[in-house]
Amino acid sequence: MFDTATKCFKQMFPDSPIAQKYSCSRTKSRVMVEELARDTQTDISGKMKARPFSVATDGSNEGNEKFFPINVNVLSNDGLSVEKHLLSFPSLHADATGEKKIKLLDGELKKHDIGWEKCMAMGSDNASVMTGKHKGVIAYCHKKNKDIFMAGCPCHLLHLAAEKGAKELEVSIEDMLIDVYYYLDKSTKRKQALQAFQTLCGEEQRKILKHGSTRWLSMGKCLERLLQQWEPLTEFFKSELEPKSKGKTTSASSTSSANAFICVQESHCP
């Protein structure tokens, strides 16, 4: 991005003398960002040394590395609010065990001369590598400060509870979201037909969202969109089950998807 910004600005703002003189590619931009980040980190670490704080992190894969952004909450000067900051963005090349994660966290705090004495809580997901009593990150945190509270992700807990409850339904919600999306995804004709039913039902023309099973937070948004478009989707799939013009047949997979959706509609909707 930085390598092309100079040329883009000159073309975007041909009448601007500032844009014509602008020159800041990768090297200069990196130095500026690193210097600004250093000042910000100094400010954040100063607050963490003086006031109570909490730490939260979660892993994110990128190629052969696993990044662990370290987010901190620090009590404000007046003690009436909480400030949220991103302290650093370290990574691990090895297996992300509880011991290696705590070494990463401890190393980042030591880099800024921050102790664990004022740390009040540790936030993470609810995986055993984080919450385990013996080899989880919180177990090693308690060796640093026995009063640190382990705050698991409440959204993740709610998702697990909802997921378990959904298994009692006659149909898999996750499978239905995926099937409906892919039934429409590669067919312009089907999308246009759905848009016609959206207009007919007085609904805004909105896309059906894609749910990824490894991105569990997407299920709520995908399900909400599906329910918003329930009436036009029902009419669309009913039309898919109608006999086609002479000489044309409906594929088995299309019939199966349409039948599945209509069965859900008739079983669970008034």
Side-chain angles (χ1 to χ4, degrees), residues 159 163 174-175 177-178 181-182 209-223:
H159 169 76
E163 184 180 45
E174 187 171 11
D175 288 347
L177 289 173
I178 294 172
Y181 173 81
Y182 280 108
L209 302 178
K210 181 180 180 181
H211 168 60
S213 57
T214 57
R215 296 291 180 259
W216 53 270
L217 284 173
S218 71
M219 180 176 285
K221 293 183 180 295
C222 294
L223 189 56

Side-chain angles (χ1 to χ4, degrees), residues 40-56 70-87 109 114 118-121:
T40 302
Q41 285 181 327
T42 300
D43 179 58
I44 296 171
S45 61
K47 294 176 180 178
M48 293 173 69
K49 293 173 187 177
R51 313 170 204 162
F53 67 88
S54 66
V55 179
I70 300 177
N71 296 286
V72 296
N73 291 342
V74 188
L75 199 63
S76 62
N77 277 329
D78 56 15
L80 299 178
S81 62
V82 175
E83 300 176 4
K84 303 177 186 297
H85 301 284
L86 175 65
L87 178 65
L109 293 183
I114 302 170
K118 294 184 182 295
C119 183
M120 300 179 65

Side-chain angles (χ1 to χ4, degrees), residues 37 111 171:
K111 188 187 297 183
V171 64

Side-chain angles (χ1 to χ4, degrees), residues 151-194:
C153 176
C155 293
H156 193 218
L157 290 174
L158 286 171
H159 169 76
L160 293 175
E163 184 180 45
K164 190 168 184 179
K167 289 180 180 179
E168 299 302 316
L169 298 175
E170 297 176 4
V171 64
S172 169
I173 300 298
E174 187 171 11
D175 288 347
M176 184 177 69
L177 289 173
I178 294 172
D179 289 345
V180 171
Y181 173 81
Y182 280 108
Y183 186 77
L184 296 163
D185 182 43
K186 300 299 182 182
S187 174
T188 302
K189 183 178 179 181
R190 290 173 182 171
K191 290 178 182 177
Q192 291 174 343
L194 176 59

Side-chain angles (χ1 to χ4, degrees), residues 64-154:
N64 296 325
E65 292 183 276
K66 192 159 189 175
F67 291 93
F68 289 90
I70 300 177
N71 296 286
V72 296
N73 291 342
V74 188
L75 199 63
S76 62
N77 277 329
D78 56 15
L80 299 178
S81 62
V82 175
E83 300 176 4
K84 303 177 186 297
H85 301 284
L86 175 65
L87 178 65
S88 60
F89 211 93
S91 64
L92 273 177
H93 295 275
D95 293 336
T97 62
E99 185 177 4
K100 289 176 180 177
K101 285 183 179 182
I102 192 62
K103 285 182 178 179
L104 185 71
L105 286 170
D106 191 44
E108 289 299 308
L109 293 183
K110 285 182 177 177
K111 188 187 297 183
H112 301 286
D113 197 27
I114 302 170
W116 290 87
E117 296 79 14
K118 294 184 182 295
C119 183
M120 300 179 65
M122 175 71 201
S124 72
D125 60 14
N126 304 286
S128 58
V129 70
M130 298 299 297
T131 61
K133 294 182 179 179
H134 302 292
K135 293 187 177 181
V137 170
I138 188 59
Y140 294 104
C141 285
H142 284 158
K143 293 180 180 179
K144 307 286 185 181
N145 180 352
K146 63 181 180 62
D147 295 322
I148 294 176
F149 175 75
M150 181 64 201
C153 176

